[in-house]
Structures are given as structure tokens and as C-alpha cells.
Amino acid sequence: MKGKAMTNEQFFEKLNIPLNEQQRKAVIADNGSVLVLAVPGSGKTTVLVARLGYLILCRGILPEDILTMTYTASAAGDMRERFRNLFGSELADRMEFRTINGVCVKIIMYFEKLTGRKAFDLITDERTSTALLSKIYKECTREYPDESSIKELKKLIAYCKNMLLPEKEIKEFDRYDLPFSTIYNKYKEALQEQKLMDYDDQLVYAYTILTQYKNILDHFQNKYKCICVDEAQDTSKIQHMITQKLSEKHQNLFMVGDEDQSIYGFRAAYPEALLDFENEYKNASVLLMEENYRSCRSIVDSADKFIKNNKLRHDKNMVSTRPLGGMICEIDIKSPREQYKYIFNSVKNLTEQTAVLYRNNESAIPLIDLLEKNGVQYNLNNTETIFFSNKIVRDITNIINFCSDTENADLFMLVYSKIDLYISKEIAEYACFFAKINHCSIIEALLCNDKLPKFCIQKIKNLKSSIRHLITGKPKDAIKTICEDMGYSDYINLSPMKSKKLEILNMIAENQPDIPHFLERINMLEQTIKTKKHCLSPLTLSTIHSAKGLEYDNVYLLDVYDGVFPEKLSVNNIKDLKEFEEERRIFYVGITRAKNALNIFSVKNNPSVFIDELLQRNDRRKKSKSGSSTFIKNNRIIPTQTFSAFSEMLAVDQRIKHKTFGEGIIKEKSGDIITVEFAKSDVKKLSVKFLYKNGLLTTVKE
């Protein structure tokens, strides 16, 4: 470092940025472990960049001795440019701005150079891991995975690795239709066999190196005498552990974040590290930045009161620097679909930057459909297309296509177990074979099977009748027939799938004249979302997650009602509390994107705990009359005993009681079928799903 160090006064004069008292205090904080909690719109990036310049110009720290870690590579690039604009290229080019994964790459490369040992190759092409997981998924479930299933698997696998979960906790993700722990372990074994690692393995590997090789740890601790971390609330548990290792020698850590804005739990974000900061680091201090420069006072005041309903947080008080003004508008509507018509009528002649924000990507699809039909320009912010590959959407379209082609064996094998037939895979396969050699429909082939029980024959006859009505009816009627007459709703209720997708399909179907136009419209919407290009429109559609860090003059929030956002209301343990409080944080991030106007839809007969809290109304949530634990999902009260729990109770030698056949003992169990011996050696084969759905069976205590 050349030249004499600046005084604080000289530095702020050179910086030429007006900072408030809290911001200045953060910039010039003493050496040591410092956590700065920055509320939305409080200028955290400005403070972090100023802090870096302060360390160099006033504290005499060499630029090469400072490591700045950000959440994404683009954020690292932006931070470097902001630093360059304030302090010049000479210093900026000597600085390190990296993601934590980028730091892990350096650790692994140094390990390879020092030991001569080659680390596993990193998977950089998503298609490699997708192909591997798809193969394992098929082996474990005997089904082909759709895009959304693979995406969900990848998220769960990343979560387990980032949280360093033990096998016992990984097994908790198992469901009756998804043996996740088996898939997870097979995936790990396959990577090891092929000498590959993914980005999450990279984190674990780097941490293991720092833990087991003291000379390598010493090297990086000496290299990085000061460490700064941006968006600390989004950092995972393993990433926090790596940061702690790197900073423990010099104890010169500067973290900026806000646990109230931690909304990436599905990526293993670990806000607990911020809550435990003073316990984890020696001589730690926590500073606050509470002034919001973005939103009007009415929004800030309401948002501050709202987030204080969370318990797992630091105490802070967000205040607005703007004069009183702006508004929060509650729009009363009769049904969720009226949201889209209201927005459409409101955005025709926009002049201000306006965002429509939502919890889940699928919420935007009916609006996209409406805007496209009427030629209204808009921008999409990182919207995904997994809705179209979701099981429910694929099932509905596959069933419709089978009804139009009842000799198609491939389609039948995809849908037979999801409608009211109650036949085994062997029977389904034989029917396909019989239909092929006899040149008849698979439905007729099933009716020719004289070994099927009477109730199955009746189910098949009902299906035949339903098919006739479906192929000639309106698309919306076809969906109703599939769900009610063919029993697909029962299949959904037995699974963890969300029926919100059915509502969206119904909205798309409403204005389509026939089945071919409906299927064509679905394909068109998928392609539109995939290929949508940026335009000059002031209207943006975005998930709340993708809008984090952004701001808009006006904001509309979609689908804010119990059962959708938040999806689940019960809080029975600390895990439930953490999940529910993250939902509240997501809503908080959504409302704090608005600068001048926040618009929220209040749906008749659809209570919203979040809207009630925001507007400080009495809690309208309905509680179950019984003492049992329940939650509200899609406006239906559902018992907490899942199908999986029911199925697990039905073990061999378990004594049971059937509503019709009386008491008996389970002799065999194979997949969905149990063999039960009732009185007088009357042996029956029963479907577990059918028993659960109709409440026909209870266990008998010995």
C-alpha cells in the first residue's frame, strides 16, 4: 500500500456518497467479526463496496488480502464494477470477488497441486446429471420421470448435501411414490464410480480439505486476512462452515445480510447462522441498517409490523426515508380467476414500471394466456416451464390423448393406474397385447378378461362411457370427466401433488372450442414462455424469488390466500415453524419490492392469514373442531395421517377390520395389493389405495 492512510473524514469526502449514521458506522466498523443486518432498500451493496475501499485506503489492508464472496457470479461481477467506479481500476483489478463455489475451486486446485492427487471431475453440463438421475429414478420407481420430478430431485439432493444431513434425516424425504433416500444413495454411488462430482460435492470436498489438511487451511487463512460476505442470509450451512474456517485465524469477517429476507430454504439457505452469529464468532458485533430508501411510508410501516410476526429473527425497526404517501390497495374479488381480468384491464396503458409477482411460476400462466390473446406486451423474469411437464398436466393430456386413441398401448400404460380401474400391471400389459393381436381397443380387451372381479368390470364399463362423452365435449367438461368420473381426483388426493394445476388447466380450457384447440393452446403457451424475449414494456411478470433485489413503482401480488400462499398453516414443531416463517419472509420480500403502490387481491371465501397480518386485522383462520392436528390445503381440511403412514400400518400378520368383511389378518403384501384372510378362510386381495380412499379399513390392536 503506497502513500499515507486516509482519515475517516478524508475517505468520506473522497467517496462523495451521502451515507446515514448507521451506514457510516457499518463502513468504519472495527476489525473483528461484524454482521450488518440491512433491511430492504437500505443500500447494503453501497455500504459493502464502501467498506472494501475503507479497508484499503484507511486501514492499509492490501487489496490482494481481501476476499469478497457473493451469492452468484453475476453479483460478483456487478460488485467489482461498482468498486471500480468508486475506487478505480488499479485497485479493482487486484481484488478477489468470487462466489463461495469459486473459492472452493481454488482450494481444490491448490490441494491437487500440493498432494499430486486428482480430484473428481466437476459436472458442468446439466444433461449429465439429468441423464444419470433419470436412469436411477426409472430403476427405483419403474416410471419415467418428468422434468419437474428431476428438478425436485436435484433440489432435494442439493439440500441434503448443503445441510450435511445424516442418513436418518434423508430418509424423512421418502414418500410412498418416491424412495428418495434410495435414489440419493444410488446417485452418490454412481458419481463415485464415474469419478464425478457436482457443485454441491465441490463444497463438501473443499470443506473436508480445510478440515483434514492444516497446511492448506493455513495457506488460505494467511492469504485472506479480511473476508467480506454479501447476501449472507442466502448462504447454506456448508458455505457458512467454509467461511468460518477461512476467517477463524484473523477473525476479520464482515457479513451483510438480513434473515428477514432469507427465502431460499429449498436451496438450503441457513439464516440460523445470522441468528447465532454472536455465539459462533469471538468478540462479534451486530449492526443495523434500518432506513428504507425505496418504498413509501405506508408500505414500509405495514411491512415492518408484518415481519415482526416472525419469532426467529433479530429485533429491528424498518423506517421509511420518504414522506408519507403511496398506498396498499386491497382488491376484493369473487374468485382467483378475477385477478387476471383485473390486472389485464389495469395494465393496458402503463407508464410506470409495474410488476406482477407470485410465489409459484404456475400462477402467471392464466395471465400470460390472457395477455397473449390480446396482444399486450410484457416481460418475463426467469419464468420456468416445468408446469407443462408436471405430472398432473401430463396425466390430463395423456388421458385425453388415450381417449382419442384407445389402441395406444404406450399411453394406456402411462395412465391406467391413475384412473378408477384397480387392475395390476400384468393385467394392463396383457390387455395391450390382446388388443394388438385382435385389432381392438384396450378397453374392449379388458372387458374380454373373464378373470377380472365384477367391480373391475363395472369400472371398465364406466370408463368406456366416460370416453365417449369426453372426446365429443368441451375441454373444460373433459377435465371434469377425468377428475370426477374417471377418479383422477382420488389419485391426486392420495399423492403429494398439488391440485392448483387443475385450476390453471381449467382456466386455459375455458375459451377453447374443442379438445384439439385446447392441446394446441397448452403447447403454444409452453413455447411462448420458453422463447419470450425482452421488450420495452413497463410490465414485468416474475416470481418473488426472481424479483429479490429489484424494485418497481407498482406491484400486484397474485394468489395470496391460504392453501396456496402460504400453502400450509399448521405449526406443530420447530420444522413447521421454520417453513411457515420462510413463507412469511417470501411475502415480506414481495411487498417490499413496491415503491409507491402495492395491490393485493382478497378472494371471497378464501381467507388469507398474510393479508390479515399485513392489514392488521383479526385472524380469520378456521380451526378444526377436533383436537387433532390438521392443515388447510386448497381449502380442504385434510387429516395429517398420510397415505404413506396408512400403508406402512398394513404389515404382514397385522390384524385389521374391514367395514364389510369384518376382522381378518394380512397374509401377504405386494405393492398396492394386500392379501387378507377373513373368517372361515375367506381370502381376499384388496387395493391399499382403494381402502384408504374410501375409509374401509382400520387396524385392530392385539
Side-chain angles (χ1 to χ4, degrees), residues 306-320:
F306 171 82
I307 198 60
K308 285 179 178 176
N309 288 303
N310 271 7
K311 307 300 179 187
L312 306 175
R313 65 187 297 271
H314 288 277
D315 184 33
K316 55 182 100 69
N317 299 292
M318 181 169 62
V319 295
S320 176

Side-chain angles (χ1 to χ4, degrees), residues 646-647 650-652 656 658 666-678 683-688 691 697:
F646 175 78
S647 180
L650 305 184
V652 174
I656 55 89
H658 191 282
I666 299 175
K667 293 298 184 181
E668 292 181 21
K669 185 177 182 182
S670 177
D672 180 55
I673 304 299
I674 57 172
T675 303
V676 183
E677 183 178 312
F678 293 99
V683 177
K684 294 188 179 295
K685 292 184 181 292
L686 305 171
S687 163
V688 177
L691 295 168
L697 205 69

Side-chain angles (χ1 to χ4, degrees), residues 423-477:
I423 59 174
S424 66
K425 184 179 181 182
E426 291 73 21
I427 291 172
E429 288 175 336
Y430 181 76
C432 293
F433 169 75
F434 186 92
K436 183 177 181 180
I437 62 175
N438 288 281
H439 305 289
C440 66
S441 75
I442 295 170
I443 304 302
E444 293 298 337
L446 285 169
L447 291 172
C448 291
N449 189 335
D450 57 7
K451 294 182 180 180
L452 289 178
K454 289 182 179 179
F455 85 93
C456 277
I457 294 295
Q458 188 57 53
K459 293 284 186 185
I460 295 164
K461 288 180 179 178
N462 293 342
L463 175 62
K464 185 177 180 180
S465 175
S466 296
I467 288 173
R468 283 199 303 269
H469 290 98
L470 186 148
I471 59 177
T472 58
K474 296 288 187 181
K476 189 172 182 181
D477 295 330

Side-chain angles (χ1 to χ4, degrees), residues 305-567:
K305 292 183 177 73
F306 171 82
I307 198 60
K308 285 179 178 176
N309 288 303
N310 271 7
K311 307 300 179 187
L312 306 175
R313 65 187 297 271
H314 288 277
D315 184 33
K316 55 182 100 69
N317 299 292
M318 181 169 62
V319 295
S320 176
T321 61
R322 293 178 56 185
L324 191 61
M327 64 175 181
I328 298 177
C329 181
E330 183 185 24
I331 304 161
D332 291 319
I333 55 176
K334 293 179 180 179
S335 69
R337 66 190 58 203
E338 289 188 18
Q339 301 171 102
Y340 308 109
K341 294 177 183 177
Y342 186 98
I343 291 173
F344 170 70
N345 290 325
S346 301
V347 301
K348 291 178 181 177
N349 299 301
L350 279 181
T351 56
E352 296 182 312
Q353 291 297 316
T354 299
V356 180
L357 304 181
Y358 32 87
R359 172 68 174 84
N360 302 307
N361 274 295
E362 63 195 41
S363 290
I365 292 172
L367 180 58
I368 293 171
D369 188 27
L370 187 59
L371 295 174
E372 287 290 330
K373 280 178 183 175
N374 292 277
V376 177
Q377 291 291 304
Y378 63 96
N379 289 300
L380 276 177
N381 189 0
N382 294 330
T383 298
E384 299 175 338
T385 59
I386 59 171
F387 168 84
F388 301 96
S389 65
N390 178 268
K391 281 186 176 183
I392 290 179
V393 179
R394 288 298 184 206
D395 286 347
I396 293 291
T397 54
N398 284 338
I399 292 170
I400 289 174
N401 285 324
F402 172 72
C403 291
S404 300
D405 181 10
T406 55
E407 295 183 20
N408 191 317
D410 291 335
L411 284 173
F412 181 71
M413 293 306 296
L414 288 173
V415 304
Y416 80 91
S417 62
K418 299 166 184 178
I419 52 181
D420 271 342
L421 292 181
Y422 297 106
I423 59 174
S424 66
K425 184 179 181 182
E426 291 73 21
I427 291 172
E429 288 175 336
Y430 181 76
C432 293
F433 169 75
F434 186 92
K436 183 177 181 180
I437 62 175
N438 288 281
H439 305 289
C440 66
S441 75
I442 295 170
I443 304 302
E444 293 298 337
L446 285 169
L447 291 172
C448 291
N449 189 335
D450 57 7
K451 294 182 180 180
L452 289 178
K454 289 182 179 179
F455 85 93
C456 277
I457 294 295
Q458 188 57 53
K459 293 284 186 185
I460 295 164
K461 288 180 179 178
N462 293 342
L463 175 62
K464 185 177 180 180
S465 175
S466 296
I467 288 173
R468 283 199 303 269
H469 290 98
L470 186 148
I471 59 177
T472 58
K474 296 288 187 181
K476 189 172 182 181
D477 295 330
I479 296 172
K480 184 177 180 181
T481 296
I482 291 169
C483 292
E484 296 182 5
D485 299 339
M486 295 184 181
Y488 185 69
S489 287
D490 296 330
Y491 173 74
I492 293 177
N493 293 338
L494 290 173
S495 75
M497 295 189 293
K498 301 167 186 174
S499 58
K500 171 72 176 172
K501 292 171 179 60
L502 283 175
E503 296 176 30
I504 294 170
L505 283 174
N506 273 317
M507 284 186 247
I508 297 172
E510 271 183 344
N511 298 315
Q512 300 306 316
D514 52 38
I515 294 295
H517 280 88
F518 170 62
L519 297 176
E520 184 182 341
R521 189 67 183 174
I522 290 175
N523 290 331
M524 185 282 293
L525 287 170
E526 181 176 11
Q527 289 306 310
T528 296
I529 293 172
K530 280 183 178 178
T531 59
K532 184 71 177 173
K533 294 181 179 179
H534 183 79
C535 64
L536 296 177
S537 171
L539 176 62
T540 298
L541 278 55
S542 174
T543 62
I544 295 173
H545 287 88
S546 295
K548 189 167 177 286
L550 303 177
E551 58 185 42
Y552 305 90
D553 295 312
N554 306 310
V555 165
Y556 291 87
L557 287 178
L558 286 179
D559 286 345
V560 184
Y561 54 89
D562 300 344
V564 176
F565 185 20
E567 179 187 320

Side-chain angles (χ1 to χ4, degrees), residues 63 146 225 543 670 689:
D146 52 42
K225 296 180 175 62
T543 62
S670 177
K689 290 180 182 177

